[in-house]
Each structure stands twice: as structure tokens, then as C-alpha cells.
Amino acid sequence: MERRLPPVVARLWGREIPSRRGPRPGLELDTVVGAAVRLADRDGLEGVTMSSLASELGVATMSLYRYVGSKEELLVVMADAATPEPPPINGRAWRPYLTGWTRANRDFLLQRPWLLTLGQHAPPLGPRTLRWLDRALAALESTGLSHAEGINITTTLTGYASRQAALTHAMTATTGTVSEEVGGLVEYGEILGAVLDPAEFPALDDAVRANAFGAAEVWIDDADFTFGLSLLLDGIEALIARKADDRPTPIVANP
């Protein structure tokens, strides 16, 4: 028996059976979702409501439920529509490809920080988001790792890209009392130096006194991202090597 798809998945993949009842819809789903993405780009995710979207499209709010069953479904479809295509592999080995893949993942999240919130609620379901998973798994095919290990690696790299995008966005935001007062890593280190008790936070206090946060500020552009990513890729490389060492040596019969 064929599994019945959740309505939002059917919409994402064009598998929804059109209703024969009622008047024919006057819009396309792509038009509705495109308008919602424009609202999010302009006003943030909090600016996307069914009423604001209806106003943007010049239709009645209730008419939108012909295209998406709920606000939650709309957000899932928006996440897929706002995701760009993944980088092509173009014959690259797994490490250089995943380096570019993770960087591209971070970069589009920086361009649309509202996606950071959406990514926390559901696994990828649409064709665009799943193409990112597919390309990463394809890059790992020749490594000898299992499919499950490949998915775990992809999940880890996606999480790293998201955390780095969220951190960069938070450090560069200009709104909000706290971010205005902290300003950057130097100011952050100074605040920590004023409140830390060396007896309770000995290692962190030593790092603050050694100006570790001030030294790290020169990394803000890209080197901090590259450093952390290299650690992750080194771990993947070590896993590939360990798996290769664990493979049994083939027995060659004597001639």
C-alpha cells in the first residue's frame, strides 16, 4: 500500500491531488510562497502572517488556505523556496567539496537569517533542501563510509554552518541593548573580566587575562569559521582512515 504523504510534502513535490470542488484558484503556490519570502526578507519572520501575506497579494486571508493548510505549512514551504541550489560537485574530492558546501550553507543563512529559526523545527522535506543532503552524500560515496555515517556527517556540518551563521549574525547585529553594549569580542572579554571569579572559572579567567577574546576578534571575517571546519573535516578524514584500516585484508591464494 502506497504511503499517504503529509499535505505539506505533497505540495512541495507537486503530488497534491487538485480539488474539483469550489472555484478554481486564482493564484499559483509559487506566487504565494514567493510573496511570503519577500515579506520575510523585508520584515523578518515576525512580519509573515497570513493577513500580511494576503494584503501583499491583494486577496482575502481565507483564500490562502487553498494553497497552504496552515501558517506552519507555509513556513516549511518557504524554507525550501528560499534555499538556493547546492554547489555542484564538478569532480571535486570529498574534502574540498564539503568545505565549499558548508561555507555555501553558512553564507545563504547569513543572507537570510530568518531561515535560522525555521531550520530548528523540521528536517529537510522539499526538493531543494534535500538536494543539499544528496550532494553531500554523493561526495562521500568513494570514502568507504556507510550511508548512516554520511547522514550523520551531513547533519553535523549543517549544524556547524547554522551555529556559525547565528553567531556571526548576533555579533554584527546593531539592534538591542545587549548587543550595542557588548559591541564585539574585545568588549565581551572586558565584561567577562569584570564578573568572573577565578576560583569558580579558573580556565576561562586565564583565557580572558591572556586576551584570548581580543586575539580572536581578528578571526571574525573567516578564519574562525575555517578553523572550526578544518577540525570537523580532520575528524571525518580520521574516521575514513580508521574504517579503511579495519577492513579485512583479502587473502590471495598461492599460485
Side-chain angles (χ1 to χ4, degrees):
M1 180 177 178
E2 186 176 353
R3 181 182 179 89
R4 183 174 181 178
L5 295 174
V8 67
V9 176
R11 289 188 175 99
L12 281 166
W13 291 88
R15 305 285 181 86
E16 190 176 29
I17 300 174
S19 174
R20 297 184 179 180
R21 297 180 180 179
R24 186 174 181 177
L27 298 172
E28 298 290 337
L29 177 62
D30 289 348
T31 303
V32 174
V33 176
V37 169
R38 289 195 302 274
L39 278 175
D41 287 342
R42 187 183 71 205
D43 303 327
L45 203 57
E46 64 277 5
V48 181
T49 64
M50 298 303 273
S51 59
S52 66
L53 178 57
S55 177
E56 182 82 4
L57 291 165
V59 299
T61 300
M62 290 305 296
S63 68
L64 295 178
Y65 292 98
R66 292 170 176 251
Y67 309 96
V68 288
S70 65
K71 169 73 175 294
E72 289 69 29
E73 282 192 12
L74 173 64
L75 296 178
V76 172
V77 181
M78 284 173 62
D80 195 70
T83 299
E85 292 293 330
I89 296 178
N90 289 340
R92 283 181 285 178
W94 72 266
R95 180 157 185 152
Y97 178 74
L98 290 184
T99 298
W101 183 96
T102 309
R103 186 183 300 278
N105 197 324
R106 177 205 60 174
D107 289 348
F108 82 73
L109 291 173
L110 283 175
Q111 293 167 6
R112 284 179 161 149
W114 55 268
L115 282 170
L116 290 166
T117 303
L118 293 185
Q120 299 171 5
H121 298 303
L125 290 171
R128 286 199 182 192
T129 49
L130 285 175
R131 270 193 285 273
W132 283 78
L133 175 58
D134 177 83
R135 300 305 184 269
L137 293 175
L140 290 165
E141 280 182 343
S142 63
T143 63
L145 299 179
S146 69
H147 293 307
E149 288 166 332
I151 290 175
N152 285 334
I153 287 169
T154 304
T155 301
T156 299
L157 294 178
T158 300
Y160 178 71
S162 299
R163 287 191 298 274
Q164 288 295 306
L167 177 62
T168 302
H169 180 65
M171 293 301 294
T172 57
T174 57
T175 59
T177 304
V178 174
S179 59
E180 288 176 353
E181 292 182 359
V182 172
L185 288 178
V186 172
E187 291 80 1
Y188 178 63
E190 291 172 352
I191 291 172
L192 293 185
V195 298
L196 289 177
D197 179 354
E200 187 175 358
F201 302 94
L204 183 56
D205 183 71
D206 284 345
V208 169
R209 293 180 183 279
N211 193 35
F213 289 99
E217 188 154 54
V218 300
W219 288 16
I220 280 297
D221 286 338
D222 199 62
D224 56 342
F225 175 80
T226 303
F227 179 78
L229 180 56
S230 294
L231 291 179
L232 291 173
L233 296 175
D234 286 348
I236 297 169
E237 198 161 292
L239 175 62
I240 293 170
R242 186 167 69 247
K243 293 273 290 190
D245 290 342
D246 290 343
R247 292 192 196 108
T249 303
I251 299 174
V252 179
N254 292 326

